Amino acid sequence: MRVLVCVKRVPMTGGTIVLTDDARAIETRHLGFTISPHEECGVEEAVRLVEAHGGESVVLTLGSAEAEEQLRDAMAIGADRAIHVVTDGQEWDPQATASAILDAIRDDEAANGSFDLVVFGNESADAGNFQVGVRIAHALGRPIATGLKALTVEGGAARCEQEVPGGRDVYALPLPAVVTVKEGLNLPRYPSVPGKLRAQRKPVETRTPERPAPRLEMTRLVVPEGDRKQAEVLGEGAAAAPHVVEVLRDIGVLT
Amino acid sequence: MSVLVYLEHAEGTVDEPSLQAATVASSLTGGDEDVHAVMASDTVSLALEGALPVEVVHVAVHDAFGSYAPLAIAEAIVELVGRLGAAAVVGPGTERGNEVLAHVAALLDLPLAANCVSVGGPAVTRVRWGGSLLEEARVDAPTLLLTVQPHAVAVEPGAGDAPSVEAFTPTLSEGALALRVVERVGAATGGVSLADAKVVVSGGRGAGSEEGFAPIEELAGLLGAAVGCSRAVTMAGWRPHTDQVGQTGTKIAPEIYIACGISGATQHMAGCKGAKRILAINADREAPILQSADYAVIGDLHEIVPAI
Ligand SMILES: Cc1cc2nc3c(=O)[nH]c(=O)nc-3n(C[C@H](O)[C@H](O)[C@H](O)COP(=O)(O)OP(=O)(O)OC[C@H]3O[C@@H](n4cnc5c(N)ncnc54)[C@H](O)[C@@H]3O)c2cc1C
Ligand SMILES: Nc1ncnc2c1ncn2[C@@H]1O[C@H](COP(=O)(O)O)[C@@H](O)[C@H]1O
């Protein structure tokens, strides 16, 4: 089977978020980059499906030239090749993102046949638009199930389990289909050293479409204030335990 | 012109995030336009509970709504948008609310601003990074589509008159009828559910190992608490992902959150913004979590936790 997984490069912010002077981006000079944990599980799932059923897994990103790093990471885990929709690093809105990814999918499918499964994260780590996968499913005319915590492919259909309060809802999708997944779907493997070396030689196809005018246009970022406080230190080491017990009694969780 | 709000409900009882969405919808009309609500049901005799800040409730009635069917709900909403000429469609920023509105946005080929915390016409403020960052944005669309971040706005009750209820049978595509829940699998029960727990005791990388969770479990047992963890712990395989608190884990809202050996990365804190109080137990006085915690104990969690 052929599986495509879409990932987005995002900064690895630590304890605080610092913005650039124009407040239109996160200051990333001292930060590393990664992809959403949801998407990491998507990559792992694509690789496992191809290990089990044969075929090809392809990883795609729309992002700056530096986002090749995230494609190589995915190929180190086992993705076979990559498609890089290269941008100048500006934010693309969800409609523009979906339409550029769609063009890439259509071109790849024209050459290599349909993807049985196109895999997205449930939401991107930074923007959290909850929609790129749904838009692409509509444009491709394929069914979509979202927020999956379990996925089994058998006999031309995908059994999709979504976590809901009180249990799991199951959808049965005929292939080809689109899914969005969540962390917890699997435990992604760590890349091996040979895997990383192999990834350096795997092919990356690049495309450079024009960025359309955004229809959801970010104008400014704001770090929410409010919950900034400084903790009251109750003490050090085991000697502080009675103070903790006192707090727990005061708020009524210990009687 | 009118504004349409999509309400999620359980047998007629509208959930809190949907009421918050209705409040935002009525703020958009400026008072002189109608707020219409749409609900999906498999029965005409839906018993509506509670006051709603809307003039009309449209109940889309179809057998397909016997179980959750996201695309079918979206098609019903789109039909109504056309009929009412709605200027905006507002939904709750829940997993399902976002899914339904994303389908609506795809069907109408319009932008969607998800998880807004405030809305002033086309200028919206929405959350990024699970709430650790806010984004001011402009939406360029003839019909404004948005969802409202849960628990970001206070619910204003309806002005008095009960809304009129109008049932309709939406025309649904074959694809929409096929895309529905076919089976419900029960959850593995046992223990206190993390999302609803009054007390949560969590361990992070500082717990050191799978065995390092023994004192944390013991304390949780004593307090009737749920056990949580950070992503560092899930990645190491010490605890299942169902225990993970954070942006890509579970969002919790306990009376007190006791975080042991957790540094306080923004993505972790995004999951415990709902906690009334936070107690951090950490070896490092400079750990970022001390800037969001109410109380802290400095030192080795392996000595402190058993002593409590
Ligand atoms: C898009 C994205 C989503 C993410 N989602 C989540 C999420 O949902 N949940 C989540 O948790 N993380 C998430 N992360 C990961 C997050 O950024 C952090 O890497 C993670 O939370 C760190 O876990 P930690 O605090 O346990 O480990 P560390 O950051 O390594 O902190 C360990 C802490 O333990 C203290 N410590 C060490 N030994 C002891 C001891 N003996 N006694 C007491 N204290 C001790 C240290 O001082 C330190 O503060 C996400 C990351 C990204 C990029
Ligand atoms: N720039 C991008 N490049 C590749 N995939 C993306 C990009 N943006 C979003 N996606 C995919 O779409 C999913 C949902 O994104 P969003 O709609 O922004 O929440 C993500 O988890 C990715 O799988």
Side-chain angles (χ1 to χ4, degrees):
Chain A
M1 68 186 293
R2 294 220 313 136
V3 185
L4 176 73
V5 55
C6 296
V7 304
K8 183 179 186 185
R9 174 182 167 94
V10 297
M12 228 183 303
T13 63
T16 44
I17 294 181
V18 179
L19 301 180
T20 54
D21 288 339
D22 66 0
R24 290 174 65 96
I26 292 177
E27 177 55 72
T28 56
R29 257 179 300 177
H30 307 294
L31 300 181
F33 288 81
T34 185
I35 60 174
S36 162
H38 298 326
E39 295 157 19
E40 275 181 38
C41 289
V43 172
E44 175 68 32
E45 198 69 16
V47 171
R48 285 189 195 182
L49 283 169
V50 168
E51 282 169 353
H53 300 269
E56 174 187 51
S57 59
V58 182
V59 57
L60 179 153
T61 197
L62 178 146
S64 65
E66 290 76 23
E68 187 181 330
E69 182 191 349
Q70 280 59 48
L71 296 174
R72 297 280 171 207
D73 287 350
M75 291 190 288
I77 298 270
D80 296 307
R81 62 183 176 90
I83 302 174
H84 189 174
V85 184
V86 186
T87 71
D88 63 2
Q90 274 194 86
E91 170 110 351
W92 283 45
D93 81 353
Q95 279 173 291
T97 302
S99 113
I101 294 177
L102 182 69
D103 287 345
I105 292 175
R106 288 207 165 117
D107 286 353
D108 197 86
E109 292 195 336
N112 302 302
S114 170
F115 287 108
D116 299 280
L117 213 52
V118 182
V119 182
F120 294 90
N122 188 62
E123 82 273 7
S124 54
D126 57 346
N129 292 307
F130 291 85
Q131 58 187 265
V132 167
V134 177
R135 288 186 189 275
I136 289 171
H138 276 256
L140 291 171
R142 295 178 194 168
I144 177 169
T146 67
L148 305 192
K149 286 286 183 89
L151 176 63
T152 352
V153 173
E154 216 181 270
R159 179 188 159 91
C160 306
E161 294 184 28
Q162 184 183 59
E163 207 167 49
V164 291
R168 282 182 173 200
D169 276 349
V170 182
Y171 301 77
L173 304 187
L175 300 181
V178 178
V179 294
T180 82
V181 302
K182 279 195 174 179
E183 188 180 21
L185 177 72
N186 53 43
L187 189 58
R189 72 195 75 180
Y190 287 99
S192 64
V193 173
K196 285 185 188 171
L197 291 174
R198 268 198 301 278
Q200 290 311 318
R201 293 191 301 270
K202 290 180 178 173
V204 178
E205 174 202 327
T206 58
R207 318 165 53 95
T208 49
E210 287 283 315
R211 172 177 179 262
R215 301 190 63 191
L216 175 68
E217 184 177 19
M218 185 250 283
T219 49
R220 195 165 76 104
L221 298 174
V222 182
V223 179
E225 32 186 300
D227 27 312
R228 287 272 116 190
K229 41 190 156 191
Q230 194 57 50
E232 174 193 344
V233 177
L234 299 174
E236 291 189 20
H243 300 296
V244 173
V245 171
E246 210 175 302
V247 166
L248 296 176
R249 284 232 161 84
D250 278 353
I251 64 174
V253 299
L254 194 66
T255 43
Chain B
M1 291 272 259
S2 53
V3 172
L4 183 63
V5 58
Y6 164 58
L7 303 177
E8 294 183 307
H9 68 100
E11 258 113 66
T13 305
V14 175
D15 65 21
E16 203 59 25
S18 293
L19 293 173
Q20 293 157 5
T23 300
V24 169
S26 60
S27 79
L28 284 175
T29 63
D32 49 343
E33 294 155 305
D34 285 348
V35 185
H36 295 250
V38 55
M39 296 167 75
S41 170
D42 62 346
T43 160
V44 201
S45 52
L46 184 69
L48 279 180
E49 295 287 337
L52 295 170
V54 306
E55 276 77 48
V56 190
V57 176
H58 301 267
V59 182
V61 183
H62 200 289
D63 285 345
F65 301 135
S67 60
Y68 175 64
L71 179 54
I73 299 173
E75 288 186 351
I77 292 174
V78 167
E79 184 178 319
L80 208 52
V81 168
R83 184 136 55 78
L84 299 171
V89 184
V90 183
T94 55
E95 292 288 341
R96 291 191 159 175
N98 278 327
E99 180 178 35
V100 167
L101 267 285
H103 277 291
V104 171
L107 288 169
L108 295 172
D109 196 19
L110 288 175
L112 162 67
N115 299 89
C116 297
V117 294
S118 75
V119 183
V124 302
T125 303
R126 55 181 300 273
V127 310
R128 290 171 82 94
W129 288 99
S132 305
L133 190 59
L134 297 175
E135 163 188 354
E136 293 174 0
R138 270 200 157 281
V139 191
D140 166 23
T143 306
L144 190 61
L145 304 182
L146 53 97
T147 65
V148 177
Q149 169 78 353
H151 310 297
V153 297
V155 172
E156 281 163 30
D161 293 354
S164 63
V165 178
E166 290 174 18
F168 74 107
T169 308
T171 308
L172 301 177
S173 70
E174 233 163 86
L177 294 173
L179 190 61
R180 58 194 292 234
V181 173
V182 292
E183 185 188 336
R184 163 68 62 89
V185 188
T189 44
V192 189
S193 121
L194 195 54
D196 304 323
K198 288 269 166 285
V199 182
V200 177
V201 187
S202 267
R205 200 193 305 273
S209 64
E210 196 174 332
E211 297 71 41
F213 271 82
I216 291 169
E217 292 207 315
E218 201 179 323
L219 177 60
L222 204 72
L223 297 171
V227 174
C229 71
S230 71
R231 178 160 191 256
V233 168
T234 335
M235 293 295 280
W238 301 343
R239 306 284 304 184
H241 180 267
T242 43
D243 284 1
Q244 182 177 315
V245 171
Q247 184 181 335
T248 52
T250 302
K251 313 267 184 298
I252 60 170
E255 291 294 315
I256 186 160
Y257 179 46
I258 305 177
C260 313
I262 291 177
S263 63
T266 49
Q267 299 88 5
H268 184 80
M269 301 318 287
C272 57
K273 282 195 191 319
K276 284 232 179 70
R277 298 176 190 78
I278 297 175
L279 163 64
I281 298 177
N282 201 299
D284 178 8
R285 210 174 263 281
E286 306 295 318
I289 193 163
L290 267 75
Q291 273 141 48
S292 345
D294 301 86
Y295 312 102
V297 176
I298 310 301
D300 185 352
L301 72 92
H302 300 289
E303 291 169 16
I304 299 163
V305 176
I308 298 173

